[in-house]
Every structure is written in C-alpha cells, then in structure tokens.
Amino acid sequence: TSSTQDDPCSASYQNQMIVQLRRALVAFVALSWIAIEVFVCCFTPPTPLASPLTVRDAVARSRSSRCQSTHLSMSTDKLWGDHPFLAVLTEPDACASSKRIDETIHAIERATADGGVTLVVVRINDDDDDGTSENKWILLKRLSELKQQRLKEGIRDFLLVVNNDVELVLRAISKNIRVDGVHVKEYKAHMIPDIRQTLQDAVEGTTVSASNDTKQRQQGIVIGTSCHSIQSALDTYNLTPRGPDYLFVGTCYLTQSHPEKISLDQLEGPSLPGRIRDVLFQSFNDDNRSSSGDSDLSTVAKKPPIIFAIGGIDEQNCNEPVKYGADGVATIRTVMQADDPREVVKLMNTAMLN
C-alpha cells in the first residue's frame, strides 16, 4: 500500500498533490491580500480633513435640495441663505454705557467674521430714563455699518432686526440705514400684518436719494416673533395676509433669560421647535393641496416661518433641537460672553451639521 501511495503515477498520489497545491494557492492568495492591505495603510497618504466651511456647504446643499423637493423651508430664499441658521441676540444691558456698546460691537464683529451668523437681534432693556433710547440708536447704526462692511468683504452679511421697537426701525428706514425688520413680542403677534404694512409703506416712501441697492434690500422686510406652544405657532402662521418670517421657539433648556423656570418639567424642551415645524408644514401642505387648482394667487399657501430653537442654547447642546427638526438655534450669552465668539460660532455651526 505504501509503495502505491508513493508512486507518482498512482491516483492516490495525484489526489494528495492536488490537495497540497490548492492549500498552497489559498495561502498565497491570503498572504498577498494581507500584503496589499499593509502597503495601502502604510504608504497611502491620508485624505485631508475637510474644513468646517466645506462640510457646511456640502451638507447645506444636500439639505437645501431635499427641502426644495418637499417644500420644507424658506432656505432657498436669497434673504436667508442655507441651513443651519444661527441667531445671536444682544445682552439686555448692551446699551447701558458706551463701553457696553463697544463690547457688544466687538463680540458681534468677531461672531460674524466668517458669515456664520444668520440673524442679529438688538434686544435690550427699554429704560428711557437712562439714555437707553439714544444708545440703542447708536448701536443699531454701528451694526448697520458692520453689515455693509461684511458685504464689501464678500462675506455673507447678517439680517438685522430690532426687538419690540417699530419706531426705531421706521427711523432707520427714513435715514436709509440698513435694517431688515423687527421682532414682535408674542402677545403682540396678532399685529404682525399691520406692522409689516407700516414698514413696507415706510420703505416705499423713502426719499429718491436712497440708492437702489438700499431700497431693494429694505423691501425684504423681516418680521419675527416668539412662541411657546403649537397653538401659538399656528395662530401666527394663519395670520392674513402673512404671518412671521421666523419664530423663536422655547424654552429649550434652563437659562438666565427665564429665571422663573427652575426645573426641567417647567421647560418646553428641545423637541418643541421640531414638533412645531412639523405641524406648520403639515398645515402648509394641506393648504397647498386645497389651493392647487385655484388661479387666485392670494389663496396660495404661505410658506411656514423658519424655526429657531431658543433658551439655554450652547455649543454642547445646539445639535439636539436641530436633530428634532428645528431649522437653527438662537443664543445670547454663549456667543456674546465668549472669549472668542468667532470660534464659538464655528463650533455651533459644525455641531448643528453633525
């Protein structure tokens, strides 16, 4: 038997050789594959990391195309730009002194250096007996100058609105100062159509000396308000002929702005902005379907407002409301009190995209 197995001509010997050859071939292929993997890992240069702005643009484009196809936002408007949206509000004491005005301007100047801020809201305490009114006018003019500076630098400028002061906005319009609109308090939200008409009439009545560019930009009147419930959001959305352009929805987290809310169960939470957005877009889609066969343009469904989450927002939690469906976030102290507002804005925009 032994001699038969060792005979090169025997079938048993040939079968053994075939098995050994197969094993050797499998081992060779496996070793070759491992060698290739090692070579690729060791000698292929790493792919350079995309900058935050590159990532921002790529994700914004994908979100924008998705939104266009499903009527999900106003982000295609040239007035607003692309997701994500970041609003910065001034601190309540921003006009308490010349020093505070300078500090406020410096913070916003740093925050808007890369075009990462969509909206700036002048929101301060209204105390006329300490010169606040005139200081607010000075602050508004300086912020308007900063808008123009950003345009000249080729950086996306920010929308500039004033909280609860229609008269100040009218004064700015009459002086051909760049200002985009007003933020209306929630309890006055029913007045938004009248306020919009008042501002629009003022724009139309500006002197002929105003440049065409100034008039064109001012005609994009921006009006926002706040809400703390789905019903409040629906009420403002259904205003005729048009409701707000944006909503601040909160309170998402514990914040110094609402010291009366001291526990989590007193908060509206980070999911409310997204839930409001869903409800408003459902209403928009329903209205759009019901008016699809109507040739009267006045019956065409109104676009829902942009939804900003607000209340205790910082660079650590700003992604959560956006994950739940908010279009962006609004913040005060996180940016205004930062050692480097520019870096904080970058971190927040990156976090919202992730």
Side-chain angles (χ1 to χ4, degrees):
T1 303
S2 174
S3 61
T4 303
Q5 290 177 345
D6 295 336
D7 184 0
C9 296
S10 69
S12 176
Y13 181 87
Q14 291 177 356
N15 288 338
Q16 290 179 1
M17 292 300 297
I18 290 173
V19 170
Q20 292 178 6
L21 285 173
R22 285 177 177 173
R23 289 175 178 173
L25 182 60
V26 170
F28 175 80
V29 170
L31 289 172
S32 299
W33 180 257
I34 292 172
I36 291 172
E37 289 292 316
V38 171
F39 178 86
V40 170
C41 292
C42 294
F43 297 101
T44 301
T47 303
L49 292 175
S51 68
L53 289 180
T54 303
V55 175
R56 176 194 177 101
D57 291 342
V59 177
R61 281 194 294 271
S62 66
R63 287 185 176 180
S64 178
S65 61
R66 184 187 72 216
C67 292
Q68 289 179 40
S69 63
T70 57
H71 301 288
L72 286 184
S73 80
M74 292 176 60
S75 63
T76 55
D77 289 352
K78 289 191 294 183
L79 197 64
W80 287 94
D82 292 320
H83 289 73
F85 301 124
L86 175 60
V88 175
L89 292 74
T90 63
E91 294 180 270
D93 66 340
C95 295
S97 65
S98 297
K99 179 182 178 182
R100 287 295 293 123
I101 292 175
D102 290 341
E103 291 171 347
T104 299
I105 291 295
H106 176 72
I108 295 178
E109 191 173 31
R110 293 288 298 164
T112 61
D114 300 311
V117 175
T118 313
L119 176 69
V120 173
V121 182
V122 178
R123 188 173 81 167
I124 63 170
N125 292 329
D126 295 322
D127 296 325
D128 292 332
D129 56 349
D130 62 354
T132 300
S133 180
E134 191 58 31
N135 283 349
K136 185 161 43 168
W137 173 247
I138 294 171
L139 176 62
L140 183 62
K141 287 197 298 181
R142 291 182 62 179
L143 287 172
S144 179
E145 292 169 359
L146 181 58
K147 278 173 59 70
Q148 291 178 294
Q149 178 183 330
R150 291 288 174 256
L151 279 175
K152 291 178 181 178
E153 294 168 346
I155 299 172
R156 186 183 76 174
D157 69 333
F158 50 88
L159 295 171
L160 177 60
V161 304
V162 180
N163 182 65
N164 195 40
D165 197 338
V166 177
E167 292 302 319
L168 187 66
V169 176
L170 289 172
R171 180 182 176 185
I173 291 174
S174 70
K175 302 292 185 181
N176 297 319
I177 292 173
R178 289 181 182 272
V179 60
D180 296 289
V182 65
H183 184 92
V184 180
K185 286 186 177 293
E186 186 174 4
Y187 72 90
K188 294 181 179 178
H190 63 282
M191 300 173 62
I192 286 177
D194 292 336
I195 292 173
R196 189 184 299 278
Q197 188 61 55
T198 298
L199 296 180
Q200 190 63 51
D201 290 344
V203 169
E204 296 297 333
T206 52
T207 61
V208 180
S209 61
S211 67
N212 290 332
D213 178 63
T214 300
K215 279 191 174 184
Q216 182 178 2
R217 288 190 58 80
Q218 283 183 333
Q219 286 172 354
I221 297 296
V222 174
I223 297 182
T225 189
S226 304
C227 72
H228 298 79
S229 69
I230 291 175
Q231 187 57 53
S232 175
L234 281 170
D235 290 343
T236 59
Y237 170 69
N238 290 322
L239 289 171
T240 303
R242 182 177 167 189
D245 300 297
Y246 71 86
L247 286 175
F248 284 165
V249 180
T251 306
C252 293
Y253 305 98
L254 295 175
T255 172
Q256 295 179 36
S257 298
H258 288 281
E260 75 280 3
K261 297 179 179 181
I262 59 176
S263 62
L264 296 179
D265 59 351
Q266 293 177 297
L267 301 174
E268 284 74 19
S271 67
L272 180 62
R275 287 189 284 124
I276 283 179
R277 187 173 183 270
D278 290 342
V279 169
L280 294 186
F281 278 105
Q282 183 60 54
S283 180
F284 167 78
N285 289 330
D286 292 343
D287 293 345
N288 220 30
R289 282 191 291 269
S290 64
S291 63
S292 59
D294 200 327
S295 59
D296 184 0
L297 292 179
S298 64
T299 63
V300 175
K302 298 166 288 188
K303 286 184 178 179
I306 288 174
I307 305 298
F308 288 92
I310 194 170
I313 303 291
D314 59 30
E315 64 270 38
Q316 303 298 325
N317 60 26
C318 62
N319 65 310
E320 191 172 19
V322 174
K323 179 184 68 176
Y324 284 124
D327 292 306
V329 299
T331 184
I332 304 176
R333 298 166 190 84
T334 297
V335 170
M336 297 304 297
Q337 294 185 1
D339 292 334
D340 187 351
R342 184 178 188 176
E343 183 63 25
V344 170
V345 166
K346 287 182 180 179
L347 290 172
M348 294 185 73
N349 279 309
T350 301
M352 285 192 286
L353 288 173
N354 292 336

